[in-house]
Amino acid sequence: MENGGNSLPSGPDGVKRKVFYFYDPEVGNYYYGQGHAMKPHRIRMTHALLAHYGLLQDMHVLKPIPARDKDLCRFHADDYVSFLRGITPETQQDQARQLKRFNVGEDCPVFDGLYSFCQTYAGGSVGGAVKLNHGNCDIAINWAGGLHHAKKCEASGFCYVNDIVLAILELLKVHERVLYVDIDIHHGDGVEEAFYTTDRVMTVSFHKFGDYFPGTGDVRDIGHASGKYYSLNVPLDDGIDDESYQSLFKPIMGKVMEVYRPSAVILQCGADSLSGDRLGCFNLSIKGHAECVRYMRSFNVPLLLLGGGGYTIRNVARCWCYETGVALGTELEDKMPQHEYYEYFGPDYTLHVAPSNMENKNSRQILNDIKAKLLDNLSKLQHAPSVPFQERPPDTEFPEADEDQDAIERWERENDMDVDDERKPFSGRVKREIFEPEHKDAAAAREGEHARDMDTTFKETASLTVNENN
């Protein structure tokens, strides 16, 4: 399966792909608050690297059209969307019950422009799905997206709106089967939960499992009813390195592509699985992480690349810049070009960083057992499911407008250049920051486990009926 599957118009692997890249110059201005690990500024840093490596000129650059209320309500409850639209830092003290109900306040704080931020990152992901549906591009990229923890009726794990679920629903208007792959260090629980009972979507998540947020994603969680065996979970332990990771990723994903035969793929590229991440405990290099992108690209199936976690922001920018190069089929020089955020990347000023010498707690035997179990589950799927098509719903109406190159390259510099190195306590009940030496080998603890609420499972997806609450 190394050589890929169905061919795109651009030809076999190794040939350039047509790439659409979604970016809003304002996205880096959103601020979760003092000491919070999630920093949208990392998206602006990534964009700066892309510009100075000369990658923007090789892509079709689009400013995302903000998602509307009715777009968000295709998955999310209308009262939750209404709450997000109305809540502000000034009014939150008067809405204590609503804040608790929707899990907003600590790990998912209220900040200026919260709803606009949700509209922006969701608009990029759904817009990418629309472009793929129309055959306008081979690969669409939205590094601001990938917020995989958000549920139908509540925020979770720094995520408010689940742009991935919305993008999958858009893809399902055209594609019989959609594959979702998640390489964030955290389990992709929100996406798995949404499609747990349907064979229209297969979800595959590689993640840290144990005393770690969100506490879900056991290898035994395989889907339910029509979705049985269409959820795959790859639970991993601290310190996994490139070789061990790929010893699972390629055989499993190769078999998935062979058996499930999706006609569209979403790859969530959470960068908190990199070595040295502020909240992470894996030991992947940027090249090891990007090898997942390279491998999924090789199947020549329409591909949507999304961001996700990533809390050592200089490394997030490095990773997503390099993976944009992988999408384009361009190998980037390690020596970093001068740019406005150059001082973040000292003292080496290189694109790649060496992994640490932390212990790999994933034994060969454990990895082989996980692989054997998942391959056995996949063997129970004799062939790709046959899905009767009904009348296709209309495309999400996004009036696309190409962003002028000069305008798209405007960035505002953050005042505190040491923002990436803050180690102030962050009290959150979901994702907690850990304070250890640079090369830590212990996971961030979590308090409370979010049980799967099967009532929110998106059963309508199987028959492709989309809830259009307004």
Side-chain angles (χ1 to χ4, degrees), residues 210-216 428-432 443-450:
D211 187 17
Y212 202 71
F213 176 81
T216 51
R429 76 169 182 82
V430 188
K431 290 183 183 177
R432 283 207 200 154
R446 63 161 178 95
E447 293 180 16
E449 179 177 325
H450 184 92

Side-chain angles (χ1 to χ4, degrees), residues 240-442:
I240 192 162
D241 55 26
D242 294 349
E243 181 182 0
S244 296
Y245 200 92
Q246 292 304 324
S247 75
L248 289 179
F249 188 87
K250 289 184 177 179
I252 291 169
M253 295 317 305
K255 190 65 174 178
V256 165
M257 295 301 289
E258 175 189 332
V259 173
Y260 189 60
R261 292 190 289 130
S263 55
V265 175
I266 295 181
L267 177 58
Q268 194 265 24
C269 304
D272 47 7
S273 46
L274 291 173
S275 179
D277 185 79
R278 183 171 165 180
L279 300 188
C281 54
F282 284 178
N283 198 23
L284 299 182
S285 71
I286 289 171
K287 285 188 176 180
H289 193 273
E291 186 61 26
C292 299
V293 178
R294 193 183 311 275
Y295 188 63
M296 296 314 297
R297 178 188 188 270
S298 75
F299 291 95
N300 301 327
V301 172
L303 178 63
L304 177 59
L305 298 179
L306 302 176
Y311 308 102
T312 299
I313 62 175
R314 59 184 177 269
N315 290 346
V316 176
R318 284 174 160 122
C319 180
W320 292 344
C321 174
Y322 184 74
E323 290 177 345
T324 303
V326 170
L328 288 164
T330 302
E331 186 63 32
L332 303 179
E333 290 186 9
D334 190 33
K335 180 176 173 56
M336 192 171 289
Q338 285 276 353
H339 63 287
E340 51 269 58
Y341 304 114
Y342 191 67
E343 49 265 62
Y344 276 81
F345 301 95
D348 297 328
Y349 305 101
T350 55
L351 191 60
H352 295 281
V353 290
S356 75
N357 60 354
M358 69 185 297
E359 178 190 359
N360 183 355
K361 295 184 178 179
N362 301 269
S363 71
R364 180 66 61 184
Q365 183 61 51
I366 290 173
L367 295 178
N368 285 339
D369 290 346
I370 292 171
K371 179 170 64 175
K373 175 64 175 174
L374 293 174
L375 292 178
D376 180 63
N377 287 349
L378 286 168
S379 73
K380 295 178 171 64
L381 306 178
Q382 297 303 316
H383 51 78
S386 176
V387 181
F389 260 69
Q390 301 176 5
E391 183 177 353
R392 176 187 159 192
D395 291 325
T396 296
E397 296 176 1
F398 279 158
E400 300 288 1
D402 289 7
E403 185 70 3
D404 181 79
Q405 182 87 355
D406 293 333
I408 204 76
E409 293 180 6
R410 290 175 300 156
W411 311 289
E412 291 184 20
R413 196 184 189 103
E414 255 190 20
N415 292 327
D416 52 332
M417 295 302 293
D418 61 344
V419 65
D420 191 88
D421 296 315
E422 289 179 1
R423 291 293 184 269
K424 297 177 182 178
F426 176 62
S427 59
R429 76 169 182 82
V430 188
K431 290 183 183 177
R432 283 207 200 154
E433 190 169 346
I434 52 180
F435 312 100
E436 300 187 49
E438 182 177 358
H439 298 305
K440 53 192 179 294
D441 61 359

Side-chain angles (χ1 to χ4, degrees), residues 42 83 86 89 96 104 120 152 162 169 214 225 262 293 302 333 348 373 457:
R42 65 204 178 130
F83 166 79
V104 173
T120 297
K152 181 175 183 177
N162 200 313
L169 291 175
V293 178
E333 290 186 9
D348 297 328
K373 175 64 175 174
T457 301

Side-chain angles (χ1 to χ4, degrees), residues 6 65 87 102 110 180 270 308 341 360 392 398 450:
N6 301 326
I65 304 301
I87 193 73
F102 296 123
V110 178
Y180 173 68
Y341 304 114
N360 183 355
R392 176 187 159 192
F398 279 158
H450 184 92

Side-chain angles (χ1 to χ4, degrees), residues 32 36-38 107-108 147 156-160 279 311 426 431:
Y32 275 61
H36 200 291
M38 176 64 98
D107 291 326
C108 301
L147 277 67
S156 178
F158 311 164
C159 308
Y160 303 86
L279 300 188
Y311 308 102
F426 176 62
K431 290 183 183 177

Side-chain angles (χ1 to χ4, degrees), residues 143-251:
W143 293 130
L147 277 67
H148 57 174
H149 295 307
K151 307 300 195 300
K152 181 175 183 177
C153 302
E154 69 175 43
S156 178
F158 311 164
C159 308
Y160 303 86
V161 165
N162 200 313
D163 61 291
I164 305 167
V165 171
L166 296 172
I168 291 173
L169 291 175
E170 190 68 30
L171 290 171
L172 286 172
K173 294 176 181 179
V174 170
H175 300 277
E176 291 188 28
R177 293 175 297 279
V178 175
L179 170 65
Y180 173 68
V181 187
D182 191 315
I183 60 172
D184 191 291
I185 197 171
H186 300 93
H187 177 229
D189 59 335
V191 185
E192 177 185 282
E193 179 180 299
F195 300 106
Y196 205 64
T197 61
T198 178
D199 59 5
R200 293 288 308 280
V201 179
M202 177 175 279
T203 62
V204 187
S205 178
F206 297 77
H207 52 268
K208 159 71 177 175
F209 184 71
D211 187 17
Y212 202 71
F213 176 81
T216 51
D218 192 288
V219 71
R220 294 169 293 184
D221 295 335
I222 59 174
H224 181 70
S226 296
K228 188 175 183 180
Y229 301 123
Y230 291 94
S231 291
L232 271 68
N233 285 291
V234 189
L236 303 168
D237 208 341
D238 295 4
I240 192 162
D241 55 26
D242 294 349
E243 181 182 0
S244 296
Y245 200 92
Q246 292 304 324
S247 75
L248 289 179
F249 188 87
K250 289 184 177 179

